[in-house]
Amino acid sequence: MADKNTFRKWLSIGTGVGIEISGKNLLVAATKVRPGGIDVLGVTTIERFAERPASEWANEYSDFLKSCAGKHLAATVVLPRSEIIVREIALPGVKDEDVPSAISYQLDSLHPYPEDDVVFDWARLSGPVVAVGIARKDLVARYTNLFAEAGVVVSAFSVSGSVLYAARRVYDSAPVTGFAAGMSRDGRVEIYGESDAHPLFTNAFDAPAEAFSARAVAMALSELRLVPETEVQKYERILPSPRTIDATIPLGDYALAYAAAIASAVPRRAGRLNLLPLDQRRVNSKLVYIPTAVLGSAALLLLLANVFYSDIEDRRFQSILQEQVKDLAPASKKADTLDLATRNSLKRIQLIDQYKRQSQADLDALNELTRIVAPPAWVNTFEMNRTTVTIAGEADQAAGMLKTLDQSPLFMNSDFTMPLGRGADGRTELFRIRTTREMPPQPPLLQQAQAARPGTGAGPVR
């Protein structure tokens, strides 16, 4: 990992500008990223940009870029978190080129807007998990036209969680996770975090501006599977510390713009969502890619030399092996026949035994759920198959049900599939939870048989 991060560090070269849309104002930051650290070139605030003529505040922005020697730079714009939906979904076995199609297939279930009224982008996080950003088309069109009218060159429309995730990985491909950070502004609390349960968690809550809401923090820590005592840090504390910065700059106020500027300077980092249409995206000067191209060419030459040498050695070794295989073929064939007969018998025995235990396992799971979701909580939807269980209903305190389910020996990886809501009486919480069943190891033959069977399930119960 050290060698990988060292190589990654030397490729972290670029200059970028980030813009956060914060209420009626634009918060702007420009940075220069180098292997030795990050230099903050400057920050500025453009007030009441939506109420003023575009040409007026465009001059302020242009003057700022000139002062930072970055007139050629294309900005990464952070859209308001309250207007963007960010989801994490798992797509095991899906290649990157097939991810957009897989997301489009289930896109309607990820947002509340009318069909064909949204745009989305995705980014690979860890393993099969991808982040999906969703915004209304009219929102993106409105900001696109506004910045185009002002002559502001834009490379990306992103969201706070995405630029924070990318900026944290400018030098390290796997920074420390298991934390929560937040920002309170204009009567809203925004919380971002990373954990094993959620590689990229981001949400916004209505709360007093002077402090983090206890309820918002509790819900965020519960989603992240972090202990309630976890400290919620400020955004600037989870980002790479700048190497140079003017002492008068309040970095905390410009944390998101700073993160967006880093993501703009080094755009090819994991987790970067871009909701701007492809035909309207602009890139910074290609000169910043010269060091990358030189290092990439050198690495390619070394790789080719290694491939050709390995190919010659592999062919010689394969020739020797083939001669030995021919000599041992008769004895090996007889042993293989006996092994196959033995394996087939064992598979049949295991298959019969496992099918006998499945009904009892289903009853045990149902009894355990009945114990966990005890009155006065109740369930109006219940679905169960061989691997997962989905329940929905109402409870006095639904947030703690995830921990209770995961503590059960029959369930794991429980998660809310929709935000908690309020019941009709205003005292109970509406929930919808999906949990994974803890199943005993199954022989391959049984797994194949189950793949061909439809999952078991039950309709709504109360």
Side-chain angles (χ1 to χ4, degrees), residues 180-405:
M183 177 180 68
S184 180
R185 182 190 292 164
D186 300 328
R188 292 183 67 82
V189 169
E190 182 178 318
I191 295 182
Y192 169 83
E194 297 179 16
S195 68
D196 293 337
H198 289 280
L200 189 160
F201 172 83
T202 173
N203 208 341
F205 308 88
D206 291 325
E210 64 273 7
F212 291 149
S213 165
R215 176 175 174 79
V217 170
M219 292 179 63
L221 294 180
S222 176
E223 287 280 355
L224 287 164
R225 308 293 195 276
L226 299 178
V227 296
E229 296 78 16
T230 301
E231 177 190 3
V232 179
Q233 309 174 66
K234 299 286 187 178
Y235 275 171
E236 63 269 24
R237 291 181 57 189
I238 65 171
L239 294 170
S241 298
R243 177 176 59 180
T244 60
I245 183 173
D246 192 308
T248 62
I249 294 177
L251 188 60
D253 295 341
Y254 294 87
L256 286 180
Y258 172 62
I262 297 174
S264 176
V266 191
R268 298 182 180 276
R269 288 294 181 261
R272 189 171 187 263
L273 298 173
N274 190 352
L275 297 170
L276 187 66
L278 283 172
D279 59 343
Q280 299 183 41
R281 299 178 186 180
R282 301 294 182 266
V283 297
N284 295 328
S285 172
K286 294 181 174 59
L287 294 177
V288 299
Y289 296 108
I290 291 178
T292 302
V294 173
L295 292 174
S297 299
L300 180 62
L301 291 175
L302 291 174
L303 179 63
L304 290 174
N306 183 63
V307 167
F308 285 121
Y309 176 79
S310 300
D311 187 56
I312 294 173
E313 288 296 311
D314 288 345
R315 289 181 181 178
R316 189 174 68 87
F317 185 65
Q318 288 176 3
S319 177
I320 296 173
L321 286 179
Q322 288 175 358
E323 292 180 1
Q324 295 180 354
V325 167
K326 289 180 181 179
D327 295 338
L328 298 174
S332 176
K333 185 176 181 180
K334 183 177 180 180
D336 289 343
T337 302
L338 295 174
D339 287 343
L340 180 61
T342 302
R343 287 197 299 270
N344 288 339
S345 298
L346 289 174
K347 287 178 180 179
R348 292 187 180 94
I349 294 172
Q350 292 173 345
L351 181 60
I352 293 171
D353 290 341
Q354 190 65 30
Y355 269 121
K356 290 180 179 179
R357 291 193 294 267
Q358 284 183 355
S359 296
Q360 185 61 45
D362 290 344
L363 290 174
D364 291 343
L366 183 58
N367 288 335
E368 184 68 358
L369 286 172
T370 302
R371 180 188 67 81
I372 294 173
V373 188
W378 58 276
V379 172
N380 58 19
T381 301
F382 173 76
E383 299 174 356
M384 180 170 68
N385 56 33
R386 293 266 68 84
T387 59
T388 62
V389 176
T390 300
I391 58 174
E394 297 185 21
D396 290 341
Q397 295 291 332
M401 295 179 65
L402 297 180
K403 182 177 180 181
T404 306
L405 283 166

Side-chain angles (χ1 to χ4, degrees), residues 84-97:
I84 308 297
I85 294 175
V86 180
R87 305 290 193 204
E88 292 173 300
I89 60 175
L91 299 174
V94 178
K95 298 180 180 178
D96 285 355
E97 56 266 26

Side-chain angles (χ1 to χ4, degrees), residues 10-23:
W10 283 104
L11 292 181
S12 298
I13 300 175
T15 305
V17 59
I19 302 175
E20 179 197 356
I21 301 176
S22 176

